Amino acid sequence: MAESVGREARHQLVGEVVRAWVDDIPDDELTAHYARAVADLDEDDLHLLAAWHASLEVGQPIPNGEFLVGIFPSLGENRREAMKIAAGFKGEEAMLAGVAEERALDTVLPNLSRPRAVELAKECIQLYIWDRLGSTN
């Protein structure tokens, strides 16, 4: 499906896959995944992630990976959203570097639970229809 839609729909498709993957990460593994995602971020992305943390009023976040990982547990219900943002930056960088959508799909899809994979398939069909009905790509 990724090959049969326009660039914007492909971008959204990869974003949906990343969000599905984050939703399926077990709670006890979330901090480790976040640490890996944050470690790979560049300075600009760290600043954006720190600004998002600041919007939660968890103190004065520092755009430093070690600091952001350190306060991650204090985010409570917002931990998954922080992970989605960090993973989204990585996904965006991969797309800009020319990493094929198939690679992202091949990496994530086998790790999704069946219910989450079904939900993702529904979202992908909606993206496909949106693209085919004439979105601007």
Side-chain angles (χ1 to χ4, degrees):
M1 184 186 301
E3 293 177 4
S4 64
V5 294
R7 184 172 186 199
E8 179 61 28
R10 281 193 312 272
H11 179 74
Q12 289 185 26
L13 176 66
V14 171
E16 290 298 327
V17 169
V18 167
R19 285 185 286 281
W21 170 69
V22 171
D23 286 341
D24 258 12
I25 296 173
D27 284 339
D28 61 336
E29 297 176 16
L30 202 54
T31 300
H33 283 285
Y34 184 73
R36 282 193 294 276
V38 168
D40 291 338
L41 297 180
D42 63 23
E43 192 173 320
D44 291 335
D45 292 340
L46 287 172
H47 275 81
L48 291 170
L49 188 57
W52 179 83
H53 278 76
S55 73
L56 298 175
E57 299 179 7
V58 292
Q60 182 61 37
I62 301 168
N64 169 285
E66 189 175 311
F67 176 81
L68 294 172
V69 171
I71 65 167
F72 183 72
S74 71
L75 297 177
E77 295 286 323
N78 295 307
R79 291 180 315 137
R80 285 196 189 275
E81 189 61 31
M83 179 65 205
K84 288 176 185 177
I85 293 168
F89 287 142
K90 234 178 119 76
E92 179 71 26
E93 288 174 16
M95 287 191 68
L96 292 174
V99 175
E101 292 86 5
E102 293 89 28
R103 185 170 168 200
L105 297 174
D106 290 344
T107 302
V108 173
L109 292 178
N111 297 309
L112 295 180
S113 66
R114 176 111 173 115
R116 189 60 181 116
V118 168
E119 184 180 329
L120 177 62
K122 290 176 185 175
E123 292 169 12
C124 290
I125 290 169
Q126 290 176 346
L127 276 172
Y128 178 80
I129 293 169
W130 170 79
D131 182 74
R132 292 324 222 168
L133 289 176
S135 69
T136 55
N137 287 306

